Amino acid sequence: MLKGVLNYAHYLLEESIEKGEKVIDATCGNGNDTLFLSNIVGEHGHVYAFDIQEQAIASTRKALISHQRTNVSLIHDSHSQIGDYIKKTEIGGAIFNLGYLPKSDKSIITKAASTVTAIDSILTLLKKGGLVVTVVYYGHKGGKDEKKSLLAYLLQLDQKEYNVLRYGFINQKNDPPFILAIEKKI
């Protein structure tokens, strides 16, 4: 049976991240991926969770408290600033949910420039065999521009250094989301 986009994103990360590693949730949103990553890395691992919206940080904090998770650093800043917060630390994996925060101001969206900057920073820290998984929601104003720029950036990655996977359903209406997963080979 084929996995849905979010389930497949989680499956990929679960297969590549090990207990005790450091990982990144580049768009913590309502905290679902942050909790998922927190569980994977366990009490000796650590999650760096970024978001530009205070509402997202507050929602994620609430979810963490309710699940008694303490292995997370919430960072109220753009994911494009990852390099300012994480240096000389090997990262086991990362996830992005592009688009906008569900049930919030739909005019606040992820943008190609900050997303590409963030991915570029993460790739320098990513372990061999590690994955950066982006769930690309593009059915909103500005979404198609981000999708186009992200695909152009990923297409130029050296195939000797990275594998890039695209996964999604092509027969669904209304711009169905898809995954772009980057695996570091060397």
Side-chain angles (χ1 to χ4, degrees):
M1 175 179 271
L2 295 175
K3 293 182 184 296
V5 171
L6 288 174
N7 286 335
Y8 192 61
H10 285 183
Y11 166 77
L12 290 171
L13 290 169
E14 208 164 26
E15 291 295 307
S16 64
I17 294 170
E18 298 178 22
K19 293 272 186 214
E21 289 188 315
K22 294 179 174 97
V23 295
I24 296 171
D25 183 351
T27 53
C28 70
N30 290 312
N32 297 320
D33 289 333
T34 305
L35 284 170
F36 171 77
L37 292 171
S38 171
N39 185 51
I40 291 175
V41 299
E43 65 182 88
H44 299 294
H46 197 79
V47 180
Y48 298 94
F50 289 81
D51 212 291
I52 61 169
Q53 294 184 75
E54 181 56 44
Q55 177 185 349
I57 297 295
S59 292
T60 301
R61 182 179 291 114
K62 184 177 178 183
L64 293 169
I65 289 168
S66 121
H67 288 86
Q68 301 177 336
R69 301 293 178 162
T70 58
N71 62 343
V72 176
S73 294
L74 292 173
I75 302 166
H76 184 200
D77 203 349
S78 170
H79 51 231
S80 67
Q81 303 303 311
I82 283 171
D84 292 344
Y85 294 92
I86 307 169
K87 300 172 195 226
K88 299 180 182 177
T89 299
E90 186 174 74
I91 297 298
I95 190 166
F96 291 73
N97 274 293
L98 304 181
Y100 57 84
L101 178 63
K103 301 177 186 169
S104 72
D105 182 350
K106 291 182 172 95
S107 70
I108 302 172
I109 60 171
T110 56
K111 299 200 169 134
S114 63
T115 299
V116 167
T117 298
I119 291 171
D120 203 46
S121 293
I122 293 169
L123 291 178
T124 66
L125 302 169
L126 193 64
K127 72 176 183 180
K128 180 180 178 180
L131 294 176
V132 176
V133 177
T134 61
V135 182
V136 183
Y137 294 91
Y138 62 98
H140 58 279
K141 186 176 180 175
K144 288 177 181 59
D145 292 334
E146 183 176 36
K147 170 189 160 187
K148 181 180 173 183
S149 294
L150 184 56
L151 286 169
Y153 167 76
L154 296 178
L155 281 169
Q156 61 80 36
L157 290 177
D158 187 338
Q159 69 179 6
K160 293 176 186 160
E161 296 179 35
Y162 302 100
N163 287 320
V164 181
L165 167 77
R166 181 173 177 166
Y167 177 89
F169 297 98
I170 62 172
N171 67 334
Q172 294 180 356
K173 297 178 183 178
N174 301 322
D175 303 313
F178 62 93
I179 291 172
L180 293 168
I182 310 151
E183 176 187 37
K184 189 170 189 176
K185 293 166 70 173
I186 59 171

